[in-house]
Amino acid sequence: MKSLRFISAEALVSNSEFARKSLGAVAHDLFPLLFKASYLLEQGEVIHDLVENWPLFDFNMGKLLGATLDYEEDLSYRTCSVCLESCLTGLRDYVLNQSSPYMKKLKVVDLTERNYELVVQALLKKCSCPLKICCVAFRSDNLTLQKFFYIIKLADPSLLRKLEIVHNVRLEMEHLEMLFNSIHFPLLMSLTLPARTFNVQRFTATDEQMLTNIGEKMGEMAQLTELNMSFSILTGRIQKLLSPLKTPLKMLDVSNCSLNHADMAFLASSFHANHLEALDLSGHNIIELYPSTFFKLLSHCSSVLRSLTLEECNIQDTHVNMLILGLSPCQKLQEFKFIGNPLSSQALKDLFTFLCELPMLKNVEFPVPRDCYPTGITYPIDDASVCRFDHQKYERVAEELNLILLQANREDVKASTPLFGSYDAAVQETNNELGAYLIKSFKETLEKFTSSFNKFS
């Protein structure tokens, strides 16, 4: 819903010539409102003038474009090169303009930029420009390694708190070692690595030493409390990576990392276990392969755990009572995601009855019941089959589950079934590039296979 104020702001900025002439008569506290309306309508010229004459102490793109009372939609993940370029040129002219009608108050600028060339230009000018760009969070997406290494050095890694390297950055273990050897991240609190950064299936003795070196370098990051290594193959090597850390992790994502019993035993006994607030173990057959160590880990982190993700963990009806027992101490749990598990409608009802007892729970992502799929369906369900279920039966079950929440006075709990996993706006934003990359990789694999086949034919 848009407020009357926001609708009025849209009407004003839609006439860019009139809006630009009128800025001198606009109250300072209306600038954020006009900025979001201009971004929504992609009015680059108005954005430039708003930023050039910014009358407030801070300019934070995330807050300006995020959900507000006047307009609840979050625009911070909507990429618009015209708007971003207008912000940068507006900031440039803010610094250079000596005839601004406002006393210059701007002290802090926080930008989300997704245009490599523009970001490089802005970072290159930080030495000579009075307005310094300070990167505390950096997300690298769809970059060649050469560009990534270049821009990360420009961003001043000594100030970084959060580093996300995702999607099409082909960062493998040797590149990560090179990164940590050449660049220090003393203030880094959160690190996300791309899929298959590690792959122990092809390790040599040299690779083992490389992994040890990386663990030691991570141990030098005294502030590191969040680590995402999903879709790496780390079988039997978690201890090498995490034991050198001096600070306990609060968030750990090792989903689809092919962990074995030794890995789970280390996690359950490590000093990280008592501090984990968010844990993702998706893609592991936890209850069949290592039930005792998993529940030991859950017990140790139960007093602080806020988010638990167990997607595609082969949790079946016979495991529900054991799972309930393990989750019972987790009284601070706010989010529980377990889509992709072969649970029946009745098992889900039993589980929901228990979940109502968790006082802080706010979000539940549950699977389509097994009995809504055709007989003989195998798990994990492939993407081609995931939508082939009885939708009417699912809707009836979903209503029954919501009724359980309603009868327990837990209307505050949001329950949903995202068929293809949790929505990630950043992933959606780059799905074209990611899709192209996957197609290219598939094509290369086919070519190699054909070439090898021809040699033997």
Side-chain angles (χ1 to χ4, degrees):
M1 288 288 291
K2 298 178 183 178
S3 70
L4 184 59
R5 276 176 23 121
F6 194 85
I7 293 172
S8 301
E10 281 186 296
L12 174 61
V13 302
S14 62
N15 186 334
S16 61
E17 185 177 353
F18 178 75
R20 297 172 73 190
K21 289 180 180 178
S22 305
L23 287 185
V26 172
H28 293 184
D29 61 351
L30 291 178
F31 269 62
L33 180 71
L34 293 174
F35 179 85
K36 188 172 183 180
S38 300
Y39 197 96
L40 179 64
L41 299 180
E42 299 186 0
Q43 292 287 57
E45 292 181 337
V46 180
I47 286 176
H48 171 275
D49 286 12
L50 283 167
V51 177
E52 182 184 9
N53 298 287
W54 199 254
L56 306 175
F57 286 101
D58 73 316
F59 180 84
N60 186 311
M61 285 276 283
K63 290 181 180 178
L64 289 169
L65 298 179
T68 58
L69 292 175
D70 289 297
Y71 185 40
E72 294 181 354
E73 184 177 348
D74 185 351
L75 304 179
S76 60
Y77 293 108
R78 182 178 295 187
T79 301
C80 173
S81 59
V82 171
C83 296
L84 292 174
E85 185 170 2
S86 298
C87 286
L88 290 173
T89 55
L91 283 170
R92 176 200 63 196
D93 294 339
Y94 175 93
V95 174
L96 300 177
N97 189 356
Q98 302 299 320
S99 59
S100 173
Y102 304 110
M103 182 178 70
K104 294 183 177 180
K105 300 179 181 179
L106 187 59
K107 299 295 182 184
V108 179
V109 176
D110 187 344
L111 297 177
T112 303
E113 302 167 16
R114 295 180 176 85
N115 185 296
Y116 176 80
E117 286 75 17
L118 282 175
V119 176
V120 167
Q121 290 176 28
L123 292 174
L124 283 172
K125 295 181 185 300
K126 69 179 180 181
C127 295
S128 57
C129 180
L131 183 66
K132 310 296 183 186
I133 293 181
C134 177
C135 292
V136 294
F138 191 94
R139 182 182 178 94
S140 178
D141 185 348
N142 195 34
L143 284 180
T144 64
L145 281 175
Q146 183 179 12
K147 287 184 175 180
F148 166 70
F149 272 86
Y150 180 62
I151 197 169
I152 197 68
K153 290 179 180 179
L154 289 179
D156 194 353
S158 65
L159 300 176
L160 277 182
R161 304 287 200 280
K162 183 174 185 177
L163 175 60
E164 294 178 285
I165 313 169
V166 295
H167 304 327
N168 295 345
V169 181
R170 303 289 295 275
L171 188 84
E172 297 184 3
M173 187 172 64
E174 54 267 33
H175 308 129
L176 184 61
E177 184 189 37
M178 189 186 308
L179 176 69
F180 287 167
N181 282 338
S182 59
I183 300 176
H184 298 289
F185 301 90
L187 300 182
L188 197 66
M189 300 172 65
S190 178
L191 174 63
T192 296
L193 298 174
R196 295 300 177 99
T197 298
F198 304 103
N199 184 356
V200 303
Q201 292 178 336
R202 55 178 180 79
F203 264 25
T204 63
T206 302
D207 294 320
E208 294 288 357
Q209 184 58 49
M210 196 180 299
L211 187 70
T212 301
N213 294 342
I214 291 172
E216 291 173 353
K217 289 296 182 181
M218 287 168 55
E220 296 173 5
M221 302 173 189
Q223 307 295 322
L224 188 65
T225 57
E226 298 182 0
L227 183 59
N228 183 332
M229 303 184 291
S230 60
F231 289 95
S232 275
I233 299 180
L234 286 166
T235 312
R237 306 306 198 286
I238 281 291
Q239 185 169 357
K240 269 193 176 181
L241 272 179
L242 301 189
S243 58
L245 269 58
K246 308 297 191 301
T247 305
L249 292 172
K250 294 182 179 180
M251 190 284 282
L252 177 63
D253 185 346
V254 283
S255 56
N256 300 282
C257 285
S258 301
L259 303 186
N260 62 13
H261 187 274
D263 295 315
M264 191 62 66
F266 166 75
L267 288 176
S269 303
S270 71
F271 78 128
H272 303 290
N274 295 313
H275 299 84
L276 287 172
E277 298 177 12
L279 176 63
D280 191 339
L281 290 170
S282 298
H284 296 99
N285 194 342
I286 50 174
I287 299 183
E288 288 289 338
L289 293 179
Y290 22 68
S292 59
T293 50
F294 166 67
F295 286 111
K296 180 182 177 181
L297 172 60
L298 203 57
S299 172
H300 285 172
C301 64
S302 60
S303 62
V304 294
L305 190 65
R306 293 182 293 103
S307 176
L308 178 63
T309 306
L310 301 176
E311 298 178 356
E312 296 187 348
C313 287
N314 197 31
I315 300 172
Q316 303 179 32
D317 289 12
T318 54
H319 304 142
V320 167
N321 289 336
M322 193 188 306
L323 183 62
I324 289 174
L325 191 64
L327 289 173
S328 294
C330 303
Q331 293 294 297
K332 293 187 178 178
L333 195 66
Q334 299 175 18
E335 181 177 66
F336 182 38
K337 302 178 180 180
F338 59 107
I339 63 173
N341 287 291
L343 292 166
S344 69
S345 302
Q346 185 57 52
L348 287 173
K349 293 173 188 176
D350 295 340
L351 191 51
F352 265 63
T353 301
F354 157 73
L355 292 175
C356 292
E357 300 174 10
L358 297 178
M360 301 184 71
L361 192 66
K362 299 296 180 187
N363 183 42
V364 176
E365 293 184 0
F366 65 94
V368 174
R370 187 189 65 234
D371 42 297
C372 289
Y373 281 104
T375 304
I377 191 77
T378 57
Y379 285 78
I381 303 174
D382 58 74
D383 288 349
S385 303
V386 75
C387 294
R388 295 175 182 169
F389 59 90
D390 187 328
H391 290 257
Q392 289 184 339
K393 184 175 182 180
Y394 165 78
E395 291 297 336
R396 289 196 299 270
V397 175
E399 287 179 8
E400 292 173 355
L401 296 176
N402 278 298
L403 183 59
I404 292 173
L405 297 174
L406 186 64
Q407 291 175 338
N409 295 317
R410 293 306 306 271
E411 298 94 330
D412 57 321
V413 178
K414 177 187 176 185
S416 61
T417 305
L419 290 178
F420 297 97
S422 302
Y423 177 73
D424 182 344
V427 173
Q428 179 66 22
E429 185 177 277
T430 58
N431 61 358
N432 290 334
E433 293 93 338
L434 186 59
Y437 166 66
L438 291 173
I439 291 171
K440 180 181 177 183
S441 299
F442 182 60
K443 179 175 178 290
E444 290 174 353
T445 303
L446 281 179
E447 288 173 349
K448 290 178 182 177
F449 174 78
T450 304
S451 176
S452 300
F453 183 77
N454 289 336
K455 289 179 181 179
F456 291 99
S457 60

